[in-house]
Amino acid sequence: MSAIQVVRSEWTKIRSVSSTVWTLGLAAVVTIALGTLISILSKREFDSLGAREQVSFDPTFISFAGMSLGQLAMIVFGVLVVSNEYSTGMIRTSLAAVPQRGTFLFGKVAVATLLAFVVGLATSFVAFFLGQAMLGEHAASLSDRGVLRAVIGGGLYMMLIAMFSMGVAAMLRGPMLSLGILMPFFFLISNILGNVSATEKIGRYLPDQAGSKIMQVVTPFGDDTPYGPWGGLGIMVLWVMAALVGGYAVIKKRDA
Amino acid sequence: MIELAGLTKRYGEKLAVNNLTFTVRPGMVTGFLGPNGAGKSTTMRMVLGLDRPTAGDVRIDGIHYDQLKDPLKYIGALLDAKAVHGGRSAYNHLLCLAQSNGIPRSRVREVLDTVGLTAVARKKAKGFSMGMGQRLGIAAALLGDPRILMFDEPVNGLDPEGIHWIRNLMKSLAAQGRTVFVSSHLMSEMALTADHLVVIGQGRLLADTTMADFIQQNSRSYVRLRSPQREQLLDALSRAGISAVEVGNGALEVDGGKPELLGELAARNGIVLHELSPQQASLEAAFMRLTAEAVEYHAHAETVGGTTPSPPEQQPEWGATWQQRKGH
């Protein structure tokens, strides 16, 4: 059983179901469209901002504003890639063909991760350029310090969100349960924890909040976050690894 | 060859598979028979390494399933025809399985042709009828041209033509020297296809025998007699040293009796006969009797301290249940 065979097989699986196209397509469209819209609104409001806000105005980060919603489609992609196996019963056919469960899971994750990165990176670049075009004279340039890192980081962020979802889905198996936990977590709980001053310090260690630091070029005024962009991404990577190790432990141990 | 040694699976309190030891040999169809819930599917899942045994061991040609390199080339299985992603086409379903085991793409077309799904190869599997789904599952089992094939209830949901097709397929696979292991809850189905028989009930092994032996041991032949002069007939029979059993409805049964002899005996004694018919107990009845004992055992085990279990003599004679089933 070679890993190459498994990767080839998983590529056939992922390209032959329509959910791949619509989840990744939705992630790209929503991220780009919302980012562009918010860039337009931000340009209009720039003059009414206070001096502090004008100094910490981050055109790069603003063009990625759509990711908060677009990441939800990425979560659905990650969850469905794994939990489709369980909800359809295909898992028994798959594991009979590839009984080495680690090879199976990581082959699947590798293929989906690569695809998520390619789509995420393309989305990130398009969102950046469209956003900057809308921002006019306030726009950042790709050659500005930290901007290229932030744009590539946007692709990495989307990839890691998908990976985290795959790990969680491998632990929980069912798509409804996985989505029912991940969606409110990323859409509500993380935002609430991050915006209430009492829980802010906890909130910043959550995967999305730590990870999105990579897309920031200008540090907001009064921000005392104890990690930088790569440190934040590192925290997110730790979350992803924990989720995947958990998923591996479950798939290894439990009956299919 | 599939070898099970003390294979056991426990789900909480329930022993689904209880210490199974038997060998499935090449060159013949081995029927795996048991009522629903007897543990057939659980056993098959353990053969494929999908469920882990609580105790015991199962090997494919001497090797554990997860140690097989490209397992589809050793053993092909149809466990659940619905274990397919409905949004994927039949062709892509088979292609992804082929790729995972290094099986060439051309083989996908071959097996689609074998099972007669070429025309719908590009259609999504969720639109398939039960019979088409079953054929797709069989195509997946045949994909690696394996020496061992395992089918769980393959005729379920098939139309008569499909059933005929799969019977012939199994026989021809066995004739090619392959190991064919097929489960069913229908004795009549097994009688038509299997050369060897493994019967389980409540997860326990009840029989491991050749089909011929099973038939010989269990197909009791007897003659049924019915007469308005029942007493005289009984007298005449006992004078001739023939023992008859009264089975109710005024009928008598003579085990292994010859109808010619019995007819002549009645004629000599001037007894009117309303019925003189040779009978053959069905294998289905024999199977029911075999598995009913396993159920009985289970029921008794659960009534500890409760009502006294009925003594064995009070259990209905199986000829009687046979009669009830026939509705006489």
Side-chain angles (χ1 to χ4, degrees):
Chain A
M1 180 63 50
S2 79
I4 297 291
Q5 289 175 9
V6 176
V7 165
R8 206 174 282 147
S9 159
E10 290 299 329
W11 172 242
T12 298
K13 280 188 193 172
I14 209 165
R15 69 171 175 76
S16 61
V17 293
S18 52
S19 59
T20 304
V21 177
W22 65 256
T23 49
L24 290 177
L26 205 61
V29 168
V30 168
T31 304
I32 292 165
L34 195 63
T36 307
L37 184 70
I38 290 177
S39 297
I40 294 168
L41 298 175
S42 299
K43 181 181 184 260
R44 283 193 197 153
E45 282 191 0
F46 185 82
D47 294 331
S48 61
L49 291 175
R52 277 182 179 176
E53 281 82 10
Q54 287 196 350
V55 169
S56 60
F57 189 77
D58 189 346
T60 312
F61 195 59
I62 285 170
S63 61
F64 294 141
M67 235 169 241
S68 60
L69 209 58
Q71 68 177 356
L72 298 184
M74 219 46 165
I75 292 168
V76 178
F77 167 73
V79 165
L80 288 186
V81 163
V82 174
S83 64
N84 265 347
E85 291 269 353
Y86 291 97
S87 61
T88 59
M90 180 71 188
I91 187 72
R92 291 189 294 279
T93 309
S94 295
L95 289 181
V98 186
Q100 295 78 14
R101 297 183 177 193
T103 312
F104 166 74
L105 180 66
F106 291 111
K108 179 180 282 297
V109 169
V111 169
T113 297
L114 190 70
L115 192 58
F117 179 63
V118 169
V119 173
L121 196 64
T123 303
S124 188
F125 270 97
V126 174
F128 174 76
F129 286 120
L130 270 177
Q132 301 318 308
M134 298 305 136
L135 283 162
E137 70 265 30
H138 308 298
S141 155
L142 206 56
S143 56
D144 292 349
R145 193 168 169 274
V147 171
L148 186 62
R149 178 259 297 155
V151 177
I152 292 172
L156 288 172
Y157 175 83
M158 288 190 107
M159 176 190 89
L160 289 169
I161 282 283
M163 290 177 85
F164 183 70
S165 308
M166 287 182 241
V168 171
M171 282 191 274
L172 300 176
R173 299 179 164 210
M176 286 307 138
L177 185 61
S178 306
L179 290 175
I181 287 175
L182 285 170
M183 287 293 200
F185 179 80
F186 280 107
F187 200 59
L188 292 174
I189 297 169
S190 170
N191 280 331
I192 293 168
L193 288 180
N195 288 319
V196 175
S197 55
T199 53
E200 200 186 346
K201 286 194 165 51
I202 305 166
R204 66 171 58 135
Y205 289 101
L206 293 176
D208 57 332
Q209 299 211 15
S212 58
K213 186 87 177 160
I214 192 86
M215 294 178 277
Q216 251 179 33
V217 176
V218 185
T219 311
F221 195 83
D223 183 27
D224 61 345
T225 309
Y227 51 76
W230 292 109
L233 199 75
I235 292 170
M236 190 179 187
V237 167
L238 289 178
W239 277 94
V240 168
M241 281 167 60
L244 289 174
V245 167
Y248 172 70
V250 169
I251 202 173
K252 188 87 186 158
K253 202 176 106 240
R254 283 177 64 175
D255 289 341
Chain B
M1 188 146 67
I2 309 172
E3 293 159 287
L4 290 80
L7 198 66
T8 301
K9 181 71 182 180
R10 180 185 287 279
Y11 294 110
E13 285 294 291
K14 192 182 183 296
L15 261 178
V17 174
N18 187 354
N19 197 21
L20 282 188
T21 302
F22 63 87
T23 300
V24 186
R25 294 191 171 76
M28 59 173 103
V29 177
T30 300
F32 191 31
L33 196 62
N36 289 329
K40 302 187 296 293
S41 296
T42 306
T43 303
M44 287 184 155
R45 280 203 304 273
M46 285 193 283
V47 172
L48 296 182
L50 295 174
D51 287 10
R52 292 179 202 278
T54 310
D57 199 30
V58 53
R59 288 168 189 260
I60 315 297
D61 289 342
I63 306 170
H64 283 131
Y65 192 86
D66 61 0
Q67 298 300 313
L68 293 171
K69 187 187 178 294
D70 299 333
L72 299 185
K73 293 177 182 171
Y74 286 85
I75 173 166
L78 164 72
L79 288 198
D80 176 6
K82 288 188 237 54
V84 171
H85 189 303
R88 201 171 278 134
S89 70
Y91 178 82
N92 281 324
H93 173 70
L94 294 173
L95 179 62
C96 73
L97 293 177
Q99 286 171 326
S100 70
N101 278 248
I103 297 162
R105 201 175 268 259
S106 57
R107 179 69 186 154
V108 173
R109 296 228 166 275
E110 275 176 38
V111 293
L112 279 167
D113 206 41
T114 306
V115 302
L117 286 180
T118 304
V120 292
R122 295 287 175 183
K123 294 255 166 40
K124 287 182 178 181
K126 66 181 158 203
F128 282 13
S129 68
M130 188 128 179
M132 287 158 84
Q134 210 79 351
R135 282 167 189 263
L136 180 57
I138 289 162
L142 296 173
L143 201 55
D145 196 19
R147 298 299 299 163
I148 305 171
L149 286 128
M150 193 163 80
F151 301 112
D152 193 7
E153 306 268 358
V155 301
N156 266 9
L158 289 184
D159 55 15
E161 191 245 325
I163 292 171
H164 185 69
W165 172 74
I166 200 154
R167 278 181 196 149
N168 287 337
L169 177 75
M170 288 190 294
K171 282 179 181 167
S172 70
L173 289 167
Q176 291 161 11
R178 297 176 211 255
T179 306
V180 181
F181 188 42
V182 54
S183 81
S184 178
H185 61 276
L186 297 173
M187 182 70 217
S188 52
E189 185 55 40
M190 290 292 94
L192 287 167
T193 41
D195 309 299
H196 195 88
L197 200 60
V198 173
V199 184
I200 65 167
Q202 302 290 330
R204 293 183 309 135
L205 187 68
L206 299 178
D208 180 3
T209 168
T210 66
M211 197 70 212
D213 279 354
F214 186 84
I215 290 172
Q216 209 206 332
Q217 282 166 20
N218 291 289
S219 63
R220 161 179 172 258
S221 63
Y222 59 94
V223 176
R224 185 159 62 215
L225 297 160
R226 205 188 294 270
S227 167
Q229 300 158 272
R230 215 164 59 88
E231 293 308 319
Q232 282 139 285
L233 180 59
L234 272 170
D235 283 348
L237 285 170
S238 69
R239 276 200 303 277
I242 298 167
S243 63
V245 183
E246 293 185 67
V247 292
N249 304 325
L252 302 173
E253 283 178 10
V254 177
D255 264 350
K258 287 206 161 46
E260 301 86 347
L261 273 171
L262 295 169
E264 284 159 16
L265 182 76
R268 272 202 303 279
N269 291 279
I271 298 166
V272 175
L273 289 182
H274 285 173
E275 182 178 357
L276 172 66
S277 58
Q279 301 281 335
Q280 186 96 27
S282 73
L283 289 173
E284 202 73 51
F287 165 57
M288 297 255 291
R289 184 171 53 120
L290 196 60
T291 54
E293 279 162 13
V295 175
E296 200 81 22
Y297 165 81
H298 185 69
H300 286 180
E302 278 186 350
T303 52
V304 180
T307 51
T308 333
S310 56
E313 307 88 76
Q314 285 183 16
Q315 286 172 22
E317 180 121 1
W318 65 279
T321 53
W322 180 85
Q323 280 222 325
Q324 281 159 17
R325 269 164 28 82
K326 289 280 177 180
H328 274 272

